[in-house]
Amino acid sequence: MHGFPLSRRALPALGLGVMAAPARAELARAGFAPDLAEKLAAGLRSGLLRGVHAVLVARHGRVVLAHYGQGADESWGQPLGEVAFGPAVPHDLRSVTKSVVGLLYGIALGRGAVPPPGAPLLAQFPEYADLAADPSRQRLRVANALDMTMGLRWDESRPYTDPANSEIAMENAADRYRFALDRPVEHPPGERWTYSGGAVALLGALIARGTGQPLPDFAQEALFAPSASSPAAGRRGGTACPPPPPACG
C-alpha cells in the first residue's frame, strides 16, 4: 500500500487566480478549455473539491497547469503534520508506486533483463523448489503478478495497523517473497483479481535480480533521470526491499 515519495523539479506553478493570456493560450493549444484554471479555482473555493494536495495537467510532455495546496501528509502511517506542497516538496505516493514498478518491469523487459509475462513465476525463484513442486501453483505466470490475478489468499482490506493485513504480515515475515508465494491457493491463476502488495514485491525482486541493480538505482537510471524526476526518500520493507522502495507498495 505504501510507497516512496517522488519530487518533480522545474514544474511551472501557473496559479489559480485569473490566468494571464499566455497561460490561457497555452491551455488552449494543448487542447484544454482556456478557463480550466478558473474552473479548478472555483471548485476549490466553493469546497466542492476538498483535500486537494496538488493538481498537474500535462500533455505531450509539457505541464500546462500546476496547482499546489496544503494538507496533512504521512509516511508509512507516521503523520507528517500539515504540509504546504510545492514542486520540490516530497509527497507520500503510496500505491502509485505499483504503477512505477510496472513501468520499470516494462523497461527491463525491453532490455531483455526480466522474464516475459508468460514465463512460469515460481521458476524465477528456484530457492522455493517445494512451492514449485506444488501442482496447484504450477500454472502461476509472471503475468499473474503483473495483473494481480495470482489466485492466492491475500487481504489488504484490514487497516494497515493490523498485523493480520497481508502486506503488514509480509513485511513482518522472515522471507517476504516466500510469504507472498506460499499463501493458500483460493482460485486458479488468472481467474480473479485481488489487490496485492505481495505481487508487486515479487515483480520488484524480478527486476532487481534481472538488472543486477538495486531497484532504486535502476529506477533512477531508467525512469527518473530521463523524466527529470527524482525519488526523494523511501522506506524499505522487511526483506523485500532488498532493496527497493518502489516494490514496497
Side-chain angles (χ1 to χ4, degrees), residues 65-144:
L65 173 64
H67 159 75
Y68 297 97
Q70 184 168 323
D73 199 12
E74 63 178 70
S75 178
W76 198 260
Q78 297 300 313
L80 299 176
E82 194 80 2
V83 178
F85 297 102
V89 178
H91 194 289
D92 187 17
L93 288 189
R94 299 177 178 265
S95 288
V96 170
T97 56
K98 289 180 170 60
S99 297
V100 173
V101 174
L103 289 171
L104 293 174
Y105 173 83
I107 294 170
L109 181 65
R111 298 182 180 184
V114 291
L121 180 60
L122 282 162
Q124 317 310 317
F125 296 89
E127 62 268 40
Y128 309 132
D130 58 320
L131 298 179
D134 180 353
S136 67
R137 301 174 195 273
Q138 290 175 354
R139 288 176 53 196
L140 279 169
R141 295 294 183 264
V142 173
N144 300 130

Side-chain angles (χ1 to χ4, degrees), residues 15 62 69 88 198 212 214:
R62 181 175 178 81

Side-chain angles (χ1 to χ4, degrees), residues 128-218:
Y128 309 132
D130 58 320
L131 298 179
D134 180 353
S136 67
R137 301 174 195 273
Q138 290 175 354
R139 288 176 53 196
L140 279 169
R141 295 294 183 264
V142 173
N144 300 130
L146 283 165
D147 62 12
M148 298 186 185
T149 59
M150 293 173 61
L152 305 181
R153 181 180 302 164
W154 197 268
D155 182 9
E156 291 190 45
S157 65
R158 298 170 179 267
Y160 286 86
T161 53
D162 186 341
N165 178 298
S166 294
E167 172 139 355
I168 301 306
M170 176 180 70
E171 297 299 336
N172 292 332
D175 182 338
R176 70 180 337 229
Y177 302 133
R178 183 177 184 89
F179 182 92
L181 288 165
D182 75 357
R183 299 301 85 201
V185 177
E186 293 191 329
H187 309 283
E191 191 172 275
R192 183 174 298 187
W193 180 86
T194 301
Y195 186 88
S196 173
V200 182
L202 296 171
L203 291 173
L206 295 183
I207 297 165
R209 294 178 182 193
T211 62
Q213 299 182 66
L215 193 54
D217 293 352
F218 180 67

